Amino acid sequence: MIIILTGAPGAGKGTQADLLADKLGFKKVSTGDALRRHIKEGTAVGKRAQSYMSEGKLVPDEVLLGILQSELESAQGKPVLLDGYPRNVAQAKALQEIVGPQGISGVFHLDLDKSLLVERISGRRTCINCGASYHLLTSPTKVEGFCDRCGSEVVQRPDDHEDKVRVRLEVYSKETSPILDFYKDLGLYHCIDGSQSTEKVYDSLAAQLRSLA
Ligand code: AMP
């Protein structure tokens, strides 16, 4: 089973993917996390991806395809939750090729207003080690500046700075949002009100996922 979580930057995809992985046993496949790991480890993929990511732009499709394939292989039969892939129609088509016409069980769009997105991203803080995500006001760390999960430092992601966020939102509306129609046409699209609390969004996602199983 493959489920896609989609939505603009700041919509809460990563937070919901973590919850669904913890509580429902999904394997979370976050292409953003995988790319950040490559950058941290200084791999060739990381070196290629770095400038695109720091500018808030999409990393070329062929780089992502390699990442996606190895992440899907490592899922070893577990249900997979895709967070951050696909990010354009070409990637959506490539995914269809890999998993086949019945491979995707549902696409869940966390939908919310642009003003809320900016507010959420500007307060977001991310663990430099495990990638756990916090918010200065709505979900702060227990000890200021340090991750609850692994104790490492929690910082603002370079691409979460305001100028980069503007670019990322533009990229989302031009390149990523057309995938919504692509999945509507395939009858796989579900819309979730992403402005609700984390718990409410989780409850509606989990209920809809159970009905698909
Ligand atoms: P995320 O953590 O999902 O917000 O992704 C952070 C950044 O990684 C994005 O702004 C892109 O530069 C890059 N990225 C992640 N996933 C993809 C993808 N599927 N296609 C292209 N670039 C991606």
Side-chain angles (χ1 to χ4, degrees), residues 31-32 35-36 53 57 59 64 84-85 87 91 157 168:
T31 46
L35 286 165
R36 282 184 285 277
M53 289 176 77
K57 295 183 179 156
V59 175
L64 267 298
Y85 194 98
R87 286 274 231 287
Q91 293 184 6
R157 261 169 52 177
R168 287 166 67 207

Side-chain angles (χ1 to χ4, degrees), residues 91-102:
Q91 293 184 6
K93 289 182 176 165
L95 182 61
Q96 292 294 107
E97 292 282 314
I98 296 172
V99 302
Q102 313 295 327

Side-chain angles (χ1 to χ4, degrees), residues 76-199:
Q76 294 178 330
K78 264 191 177 183
V80 167
L81 197 65
L82 281 180
D83 160 17
Y85 194 98
R87 286 274 231 287
N88 58 31
V89 172
Q91 293 184 6
K93 289 182 176 165
L95 182 61
Q96 292 294 107
E97 292 282 314
I98 296 172
V99 302
Q102 313 295 327
I104 294 161
S105 305
V107 177
F108 292 84
H109 172 207
L110 302 185
D111 188 23
L112 79 165
D113 226 61
K114 195 169 166 185
S115 58
L116 260 180
L117 292 168
V118 174
E119 195 181 300
R120 284 199 185 172
I121 304 186
S122 59
R124 179 156 75 181
R125 295 295 179 270
T126 307
C127 173
I128 55 166
N129 177 47
C130 72
S133 183
Y134 300 91
H135 190 280
L136 289 178
L137 301 176
T138 54
S139 57
T141 51
K142 291 192 182 106
V143 178
E144 198 184 323
F146 295 94
C147 181
D148 295 352
R149 220 195 262 169
C150 73
S152 301
E153 205 185 341
V154 165
V155 299
Q156 186 171 37
R157 261 169 52 177
D159 58 346
D160 277 351
H161 290 272
E162 204 184 322
D163 51 335
K164 303 297 169 353
V165 168
R166 238 177 282 125
V167 176
R168 287 166 67 207
L169 289 173
E170 261 170 45
V171 167
Y172 175 78
S173 85
K174 279 199 194 126
E175 301 189 42
T176 306
S177 65
I179 71 169
L180 304 180
D181 280 337
F182 177 85
Y183 287 118
K184 278 179 195 164
D185 290 345
L186 292 174
L188 293 170
Y189 177 86
H190 304 263
C191 188
I192 304 272
D193 175 4
S195 68
Q196 305 172 98
S197 66
T198 301
E199 293 73 21

